[in-house]
Amino acid sequence: MREPRRSRRLRLVALTLCAALGSGCAHLQTPRIDPTGQRVFAEPPIRAQPAPSPPVHVAAPWEPAALTLSPAATVAPVGSEVILVAGVIAGDNHYDMNRRLEWHLAQGSVGQFLAVGRGSLVDWLVGDFNRPRKIDATYAIGSTSRRYQHLSRGTAAPGNDVWTVPGQGWISVSSPLEGTSFVTVAAPEIADWSVRTRTAAIHWVDVQFTYPPPSINRAGTTHPMTTTVTRQSDGAPWEGWIVRYRVASGPPAGFAPDGADTIEVPTDASGRATAELMQTAPGAGTNVITTEVFRPAGSAAGAVAAAGGAAGRLLVGSNSVTKTWTAAALAAEKTGPATATPGATITYRIVVSNPGDLPAENVLVTDRAPDTLEYLSSDPPAQLVGARPQWQLGRLAPQEQRVIEVHFRAGSEGTVTNCADVTAAGDLSATGCTTTTIGPEPAVDVPAPIDVRMEGPRQAVVQQEVTFQVLVTNRGPTPSGDLTIRTRFDEGLEHEIVDPKRTIEAHLGSLAPGETHQVDIDFTVVKPGEWCHRVEVIGPPGVLATAEACLTATAVEPEAPEEPVREAAVSVRKTGPAQATVGQPVRFTIDVTNTGRGAVTDVRVVDRYHAALVPTEATEGYEHENGSLVWTFDRLEPGQTARIEVVGNPLQPAERACNRVSVTTREGAQGEAEACVEIRPPVEPPPETVPDGTLSLTVTDLRGMMAAGRELTYVIQVVNTGMLPDQQVVVAARVPEGMTPVRLGTMGPADPPEFDAQIVRFPPVAEIKPHQTLTYRVRVQTHEAGDYTFGAQVTSRRHPEPLHAQVTTEVVE
């Protein structure tokens, strides 16, 4: 066989070039010719040489470096629609926009693509011509968006909606058949092939559930709990599915027959799985029972999904429900005087109550007075059994209380303990005791007469330092006892100890008879006028002596010093939690303060967040710029602080997710700060879990920083973020020492609150519906400079353990 003439000519040209280059062409691999001319040999194998290791590619900050996809695995009803969200992360650990995404539905999967995330007119304006489109039912092309997108499912529950941020793209998948959809997304622009694809599994099931409802039963009884599992398509029952019941919290309880806290029950031919709940120690309280439904391995539905790799046991739904046990209860409290004299009449007060939620029957009260006390009378009248008075109270309704007053004559000296025993049907009992010391009347100490004199200047000039000598003398024949001197002075005088009330106290101790103690008090005159200074000497009974001294101050014109010129400056502080959990919002606070002498203008605050954390709420006035939140303030005066709050939603675990803020002004002042948070994975991540009811509590101060002596309002908000209503919502607030609660302006959604010193208690709200918000306001009066922490708590029927929240307010002079 002869080579074609053109081929031979090309080969000759190549050999001629090799010879001309002088180095030969040993590396040039060409077919060898058989000398007989019968055939062409195959190309010789390439000589084995160690291949050089390719360099490791490290993505630049602007290059795509990683791909995310969520949810990675989920269970959905057949016929529904599942949204998958993918994101491309750049080398600087932030989402990257305008990156191509290719979506594939694996061969053998059930279902099809319905829609892919669309672009916007902005994409065309910036030159992005990557048109998202669905090629067919199993292949689609998309790109990461340049904007925030809200994908509403059209339901009343906001938790069903999906949010995406710039740098993310989405696709929707549906299937009318049971099985598994394996969806792969690829980002071809990522250089590292090991991270350029991600795969998610969607398990489609033809099932619906009816969970056990909340219930209330008498303590000590049993209660059946039934879950019904049926097909969604035709309502036919599923037999052989597994329902797991578990006692999650509450008083001791378990399931028959052995009281175990967890039990698994298969559904019967009617699709019902029933477990009997019982108390292992009868008593009032509320249990939280979790219910989980599993498709069993080897079931008919599992066989349909076998090709999709989901033939094993599969968790398809879960729920939580409350089980309340009711019971009667007894409580007894007995009070009386701590001391009495022999022969005096002692009155004791017995309070009997039923803190339970069922009536207490046949309530009997017996007073066990010692022999040294002689019974005189009582209200209501008692029946004497021997020497002990008794009262038949009969029926005591839930939360009802009865008061008994009983009178005794004190006997000989000594200490007596008097107890009251209360019993009721059902082996209920309670006891209340009090102790009284019987003895002679104590001697009354008469304080020694105290004399106080004050000496000091009568004239002064502004900025002059003056000293007053205070002389305290004990004129009595006995020691004075512990004494304190209190100083009050007018506004024209200034002391080194700054106090908004211009009051100073000092401890003097005890003065011997005839002893005089001198105290020097120094002031600086700060205003012209007549200013007075008053002192009080205080002992155990109260104020023992007073004195006053006054001076007249005149102004002196000082030389005006040249005011130093200070450049514009700002300080930035960003605070937030050290740890967070995926799916649980976190709050960050940004404080921007003008630390210079002059005002700063056009204050621009740029807040940028880690890819694992998406901002969902923020202080009003922001704009979106390249994935960052931007605020602009026209002007900040010297010492003025602007506070910004941002709430973020953790999307995925991260060892250190740092969120940076930078500030610039027209005058050239700059500042930066960051807050880093460790994001932990969720404790119970199944996406199909729907909470039956939960409350969230937030506290906000409306001013952030406050001047001493002014009033401030705190706002408390309780939100029902669950799917079921909650009852008996009770909110209480604790006002810190250094502030005083103000009745005018303090209000809640129900009746006026109660004030108990620093505690403000709001009346219970009967019910809070799903997604409803209750708002409370607490008005306070500030007094002194410092940092004060205001706290609040909320309890409800579903949250017997209090939820707490607090906020710190800075009070300045």
Side-chain angles (χ1 to χ4, degrees), residues 174-483:
S174 181
S175 173
L177 303 174
E178 287 199 315
T180 302
S181 298
F182 290 102
V183 180
T184 299
V185 62
E189 295 175 86
I190 296 177
D192 188 350
W193 283 32
S194 64
V195 295
R196 69 193 304 179
T197 62
R198 288 288 184 268
T199 299
I202 307 172
H203 305 293
W204 305 96
V205 291
D206 183 11
V207 67
Q208 58 187 3
F209 329 102
T210 302
Y211 293 108
S215 58
I216 300 175
N217 287 75
R218 182 184 294 270
T221 61
T222 60
H223 175 69
M225 306 188 68
T226 300
T227 300
T228 304
V229 184
T230 59
R231 298 179 188 270
Q232 178 180 315
S233 56
D234 56 9
W238 275 116
E239 182 178 3
W241 286 51
I242 305 299
V243 178
R244 177 196 291 163
Y245 297 100
R246 181 173 63 88
V247 180
S249 63
F255 297 96
D258 56 0
D261 62 0
T262 303
I263 190 173
E264 292 189 354
V265 183
T267 56
D268 57 18
S270 61
R272 297 163 62 88
T274 301
E276 191 173 35
L277 180 67
M278 63 181 185
Q279 286 192 295
T280 56
T286 299
N287 290 113
V288 175
I289 311 299
T290 62
T291 305
E292 296 174 312
V293 180
F294 294 88
R295 186 187 67 192
S299 66
V304 172
R313 176 165 163 159
L314 179 67
L315 175 64
V316 297
S318 64
N319 187 43
S320 294
V321 68
T322 57
K323 175 70 190 76
T324 301
W325 308 96
T326 61
L330 285 181
E333 181 184 9
K334 189 167 190 178
T335 57
T339 61
T341 58
T345 299
I346 304 176
T347 298
Y348 291 102
R349 178 183 173 92
I350 305 171
V351 179
V352 182
S353 61
N354 176 7
D357 42 26
L358 288 180
E361 306 289 350
N362 302 326
V363 179
L364 175 65
V365 181
T366 303
D367 193 299
R368 290 190 286 114
D371 296 338
T372 53
L373 298 180
E374 178 187 355
Y375 171 75
L376 299 177
S377 63
S378 68
D379 183 18
Q383 178 182 0
L384 289 178
V385 178
R388 295 183 175 180
Q390 282 189 349
W391 296 266
Q392 293 281 354
L393 301 185
R395 181 187 179 95
L396 199 61
Q399 308 304 317
E400 183 184 1
Q401 70 175 21
R402 305 275 184 90
V403 178
I404 301 172
E405 288 189 351
V406 57
H407 310 289
F408 293 90
R409 178 178 289 116
S412 59
E413 295 184 3
T415 299
V416 296
T417 298
N418 192 355
C419 295
D421 297 329
V422 184
T423 60
D427 295 329
L428 298 179
S429 64
T431 299
C433 299
T434 187
T435 300
T436 303
T437 300
I438 301 174
E441 294 186 3
V444 178
D445 293 333
V446 178
I450 299 298
D451 176 57
V452 59
R453 293 181 297 109
M454 185 159 47
E455 300 175 357
R458 298 295 182 91
Q459 302 288 332
V461 296
V462 175
Q463 300 304 322
Q464 179 182 348
E465 293 185 358
V466 295
T467 300
F468 290 89
Q469 293 86 30
V470 181
L471 303 174
V472 181
T473 304
N474 179 5
R475 302 294 186 186
T478 61
S480 66
D482 202 34
L483 299 179

Side-chain angles (χ1 to χ4, degrees), residues 45-262:
I46 299 176
R47 287 178 293 179
Q49 294 182 354
S53 300
V56 177
H57 180 79
V58 178
W62 58 86
E63 290 184 323
L67 180 65
T68 64
L69 178 62
S70 64
T74 188
V75 177
V78 293
S80 63
E81 191 172 353
V82 174
I83 303 294
L84 299 179
V85 178
V88 175
I89 299 177
D92 61 355
N93 226 11
H94 291 80
Y95 279 121
D96 203 6
M97 300 175 289
N98 186 25
R99 295 298 181 183
R100 182 182 177 96
L101 298 174
E102 296 182 2
W103 301 90
H104 303 267
L105 186 62
Q107 186 176 3
S109 298
V110 299
Q112 62 180 351
F113 293 150
L114 295 183
V116 66
R118 297 287 182 181
S120 64
L121 179 62
V122 176
D123 299 335
W124 290 86
L125 294 177
V126 299
D128 177 11
F129 305 112
N130 181 23
R131 180 172 62 88
R133 58 200 182 277
K134 188 177 74 170
I135 306 301
D136 54 36
T138 62
Y139 178 53
I141 297 175
S143 71
T144 57
S145 176
R146 294 182 177 274
R147 59 192 175 99
Y148 289 85
Q149 297 185 66
H150 176 206
L151 308 178
S152 174
R153 296 181 184 268
T155 63
N160 292 339
D161 296 348
V162 177
W163 291 82
T164 65
V165 301
Q168 290 182 324
W170 61 269
I171 198 166
S172 66
V173 190
S174 181
S175 173
L177 303 174
E178 287 199 315
T180 302
S181 298
F182 290 102
V183 180
T184 299
V185 62
E189 295 175 86
I190 296 177
D192 188 350
W193 283 32
S194 64
V195 295
R196 69 193 304 179
T197 62
R198 288 288 184 268
T199 299
I202 307 172
H203 305 293
W204 305 96
V205 291
D206 183 11
V207 67
Q208 58 187 3
F209 329 102
T210 302
Y211 293 108
S215 58
I216 300 175
N217 287 75
R218 182 184 294 270
T221 61
T222 60
H223 175 69
M225 306 188 68
T226 300
T227 300
T228 304
V229 184
T230 59
R231 298 179 188 270
Q232 178 180 315
S233 56
D234 56 9
W238 275 116
E239 182 178 3
W241 286 51
I242 305 299
V243 178
R244 177 196 291 163
Y245 297 100
R246 181 173 63 88
V247 180
S249 63
F255 297 96
D258 56 0
D261 62 0
T262 303

Side-chain angles (χ1 to χ4, degrees), residues 643 701-707 710-713 809:
R643 171 164 288 188
D701 57 346
L702 297 184
R703 298 294 294 273
M705 185 171 65
M706 192 70 188
R710 303 287 297 277
E711 291 188 358
L712 169 69
T713 298
T809 302

